[in-house]
Amino acid sequence: EDPDGIEVQISAFDHDASVPISRVASEISTFRGTGINHIALRVTDIARSRDFYQELFGLPVVRQSDSECFLGLGANFLALFNGDEPGMDHYCYSIEDYDPTTALVKLKSFDLNAWRHDDRVYFEAPDGITIQVASEDHQP
C-alpha cells in the first residue's frame, strides 16, 4: 500500500492475470485504445506520496505544484492530486486519431455523462469511475 492506503501491485512486464482475453474488432469499436496513458490518484500529502513513488519506482518529477505532481513513467505518467480522501481520481486511455470534439459527440451518443475540459474529455463508466480519453502523445 502507498502512504494513503492505495494498493500497489508489482508484476513482471509479461504478467499473466489468467483472465481470458476477449478481442473486439476495431471496426465495431467506438475508439481504438492503444494503451493506458496515465493514472491519476487523489492523495492527502503530495510530498509524501511523491517521495514514496520516487523511492519505490524511481519515477522522476515531470511537473509539480502545491496541489499536484506528475511523475514520469516511461512514455506514460502517474498524476498525484491533493485531496481530502485518498483514492483514484481517474485513469486515461490513449486512443488513435483523438479529436476532443469528436470524442465528446461519440460518448454523448451513448448517453454517457461526458464532459470536456480544454482538450481533455472525461466520462463515467457504469460504476461511476471517471475515465479520460486522450491522444497517444498526451503529456502532463
Side-chain angles (χ1 to χ4, degrees):
E1 292 183 352
D2 79 357
D4 281 299
I6 298 171
E7 187 174 316
V8 177
Q9 178 182 350
I10 299 172
S11 65
F13 182 72
D14 62 349
H15 174 68
D16 175 15
S18 299
V19 176
I21 297 175
S22 172
R23 301 201 186 275
V24 176
S26 62
E27 59 271 6
I28 63 170
S29 299
T30 303
F31 302 109
R32 173 80 172 119
T34 59
I36 299 293
N37 181 276
H38 67 274
I39 297 173
L41 302 176
R42 286 185 308 274
V43 298
T44 58
D45 184 323
I46 294 284
R48 181 186 67 185
S49 293
R50 177 203 60 220
D51 293 350
F52 172 83
Y53 288 105
Q54 283 193 302
E55 290 171 16
L56 191 61
F57 296 112
L59 306 182
V61 173
V62 174
R63 190 176 83 224
Q64 181 174 348
S65 71
D66 291 340
S67 62
E68 59 189 23
C69 180
F70 297 90
L71 299 169
L73 185 58
N76 306 313
F77 62 95
L78 173 65
L80 306 173
F81 299 137
N82 195 41
D84 295 331
E85 295 290 325
M88 183 165 44
D89 186 83
H90 70 275
Y91 71 100
C92 177
Y93 286 101
S94 294
I95 61 172
E96 288 181 351
D97 304 319
Y98 175 73
D99 173 72
T101 302
T102 302
L104 190 62
V105 168
K106 286 182 177 182
L107 291 166
K108 287 190 174 202
S109 76
F110 284 97
D111 270 345
L112 292 171
N113 178 19
W115 63 97
R116 181 176 175 174
H117 181 74
D118 297 327
D119 67 341
R120 301 181 307 273
V121 174
Y122 301 88
F123 64 99
E124 290 182 2
D127 286 318
I129 297 169
T130 302
I131 300 172
Q132 178 185 350
V133 289
S135 64
E136 294 176 289
D137 61 353
H138 174 74
Q139 294 295 312

